[in-house]
Amino acid sequence: MLDRAELAELRLRVSDPVAAVPEIEARARTDMRPYLASQQSAVLRGIPWGGVEMSDESGKSKYIYVDRETSWLQFGHRVLQEASDPSVPLLERLFFCGIFSSNLDEYFRVRVASLRSLLRLGKTDVARLGISPHRLLHDIHQIVLQQQEQYGSIIGDIFAELKTAGFARVDEGSVAAAHHDFLAELFAEQVRPLVEPFMLQGEDGPPFLDNNQVYLVIELFEKGREVLESWTPEYALLKVPSDSLPRFITLPARGDTHEVMFLDDLIRYNLDQIFPKYEVGRSYAVKLTRDAELHVEDEFEGDLVEAIRKSLKNRDRGVPSRFLYDMRTPYVLIHRLQHGLGLQEEDLVLGARYHNLKDYLGFPRFGRKDLSYPDWPTLPHPVFDGVDSVMAAVRDRDQVVHTPYQSFDHFVRFLDEAAEDPDVEELWLTVYRVARDSDVLTALIRAAHAGKNVTVFMEVQARFDEESNLHWADQLEAAGVRTLYSMQGLKVHAKIALVATRDGDERSLYAYVGTGNFNEKTAGVYADHGVYTCDERITKDVEQVFRFLAGEIEEPTTEHLLTAPLTLRKGFYELIEREAQAAREGKPSGMTLKMNALEDKKIIKRLYDASVAGVPIEIIVRGICRLVPGVPGQSETIRVRSILDRHLEHARIYAFHNGGDEIIYLASADLMKRNLSRRVEVALPVYDPEIKRQLRRLLDLELADNTKARWIDASGANVYVQADGKPRVRSQEAFRDFLAELAPGP
């Protein structure tokens, strides 16, 4: 077998893969995949997770931080833990496999593509970065290979169990005679018109592969030869049209078995219909992932919206960041594809027979509730479900809705009431991500038609939602809604709404501040919280933020809200330091911080300082965490855990002991540099005692979780929090039970 160095040397010496077939066959055409897999497995078992020493701002003391990129991949490992957990229903485990694949695709499109761009920097610029892009990319690929190996094993186990449960995955070699006519007709009528094959080395030069699309590379042999192995094949490519057709085909029922076929395999089954002039050999799946950045940073002097419209057309033509190929692909073909597509060595990533397994998110379930999570219908809200008017209820007292446990429809109802209320003059809303068929924006259009002054701030830089947001912006403008767009150098990530009413000379404001997007689709999956209030301390501040977004004032003057990029960072610095000072004075102190990501080094440094002072700090983080807990002289009083369950933990809640008079903030911002410095964000101080009690209950349940919580540290092991004889606590289930007790009776 070739080792890696020999393989690289041979690859460099080969300029004509066809002419080099004898040499390659002698040394490399034998199946190298088991060898590569074993070598990778041996190396990967000892992968470090990126702990590095970095100086603080003074340059004197040193603290340890986890590398951001590898920390992100640790979240992928936690997703795989759910996929492999036998206590998770079988079809939900497959769903988590889809989540893992989707997240990894985005990671390569965004993070790896950005790192690849750093390879073009000179030595001086790289030295300023403090990282080695080459080394980091190497580590990333090693970790990803390890996770893909684990992923393949998990998928195998899941489908083995699905087979026992009455599911069967059919490929082109296992089609029953009873299904032949059905598949032939389906292919001819729905698939063949969408399939356009082309030769790998055609007259038009190298092919262009669309981003994140599965292609089949097919061996073709001229008909009439007696021994197929005696000559070199031609190669054709074709795109699997899963962007137009379902990825999975449900076959007609035969008995009690649910039979499912990949669209890829339906095409493989009919390749002779596509290439009637050839003998068809084997076929291999490949996929190219491209850079997803729009690269419009220099467009602020012109029309940013128009710049984004133009850049969207080029997104799927970005430079490659990953080329995934079937592990059975012959080396000769890999070499030809690499050079034909202009790929670099680091682009090549070993894969399996099927790609784009994010499509497992839509795998047919055949009504098998026994293999799915039990239904958790939305709970009645303790106030909103028992009143005729949401706005009247908010006038009486601040209210909170916890989605998806309680319905997001209450917010749509709030907007509908405002649209119909003759006293309402104005409605304001920020939009970051909305549903394709948005009830929220439809309600605002109705309000505009009813004569209200409606203003929407549309963030057109929300990654992967730019096109949808531009579409809705056009619809809003056509309806007479004043539509404002992205600000120079800032993304607007705050989730706020404002309604203004007038009764004679009296003007009243209603505000909404939340942690989640105004998106009814994701609100059914993401765990978030939204507060409705008429408290003038808050409503005046929210109005200030909207006036700032509209360009009516240079800076918002807020006395209660913390806003980025102006006061949020400084406010958190002061809150952390207040706890540290209390600890130094021997007084009670503490923090409980819940977020999606903890990445900002300046914030982490202050948390380390607070820990050194003796402050007990509990952190609940879903994804990236660059802080290393439990390090003597640095973070001995800090514990970090992550919770992954059926709902995606999306809320940001920051609680500070404050001498016993606890302060709790709900925020749209994670503790990341981009959120604190380059986005418009809002953190809401929770003043209502009942809302504060509910949020504190949630935090306490999550800190007690010994079922779905994992400890986070630099090892990347994601060890589950153990019960140690205590009663079982699954925080999402327990919080739902808590909210059910608050719900009004029948």
Side-chain angles (χ1 to χ4, degrees), residues 333-482:
L333 178 54
I334 296 171
H335 179 91
R336 181 177 292 182
L337 289 167
Q338 179 184 352
H339 289 271
L341 299 173
L343 303 173
Q344 303 299 315
E345 188 74 23
E346 56 266 25
D347 295 328
L348 306 180
V349 178
L350 188 67
R353 174 182 171 90
Y354 303 107
H355 308 318
N356 268 7
L357 296 182
K358 62 184 178 184
D359 292 330
Y360 281 138
L361 296 170
F363 189 81
R365 297 201 170 203
F366 298 96
R368 292 292 300 272
K369 292 189 175 182
D370 58 314
L371 302 179
S372 305
Y373 284 129
D375 289 338
W376 279 6
T378 55
L379 298 167
H381 189 272
V383 175
F384 287 159
D385 278 277
V387 296
D388 295 329
S389 169
V390 169
M391 294 178 68
V394 176
R395 282 197 300 271
D396 290 340
R397 184 173 185 174
D398 289 2
Q399 302 294 334
V400 63
V401 172
H402 310 281
T403 56
Y405 307 101
Q406 297 163 338
S407 177
F408 181 76
D409 289 346
H410 298 302
F411 183 73
V412 178
R413 180 182 167 196
F414 172 64
L415 296 180
D416 282 337
E417 282 186 30
E420 297 173 3
D421 189 333
D423 291 338
V424 169
E425 291 186 328
E426 300 174 78
L427 293 90
W428 300 69
L429 187 86
T430 57
V431 172
Y432 194 74
R433 302 187 195 277
V434 294
R436 184 177 298 275
D437 300 316
S438 173
D439 292 337
V440 170
L441 297 187
T442 300
L444 292 180
I445 289 173
R446 286 197 297 269
H449 288 162
K452 313 301 182 186
N453 295 319
V454 182
T455 301
V456 170
F457 190 94
M458 182 69 68
E459 179 50 73
V460 293
Q461 299 176 90
R463 183 180 290 125
F464 303 128
D465 281 87
E466 303 96 341
E467 190 169 4
S468 172
N469 287 0
L470 287 170
H471 163 76
W472 272 109
D474 291 341
Q475 300 295 311
L476 291 166
E477 287 185 347
V481 174
R482 182 171 68 146

Side-chain angles (χ1 to χ4, degrees), residues 668-688:
S668 58
D670 291 308
L671 299 184
M672 302 182 73
K673 183 176 181 179
R674 70 183 187 191
N675 296 95
L676 300 175
S677 301
R678 298 194 300 272
R679 290 187 174 183
V680 176
E681 306 273 11
V682 166
L684 168 76
V686 179
Y687 292 142
D688 184 88

Side-chain angles (χ1 to χ4, degrees), residues 135-187:
R135 178 63 189 175
L136 189 52
L137 283 167
H138 174 268
D139 289 347
I140 287 169
H141 280 287
Q142 283 191 321
I143 295 166
V144 169
L145 283 169
Q146 180 191 42
Q147 291 186 345
Q148 286 184 325
E149 185 179 276
Q150 182 183 4
Y151 182 84
S153 175
I154 291 169
I155 285 288
D157 291 343
I158 289 173
F159 274 98
E161 293 183 49
L162 282 172
K163 184 176 181 180
T164 302
F167 286 73
R169 188 173 59 184
V170 177
D171 61 25
E172 76 277 14
S174 59
V175 174
H179 288 146
H180 173 79
D181 291 346
F182 166 78
L183 293 175
E185 181 179 350
L186 178 66
F187 177 79

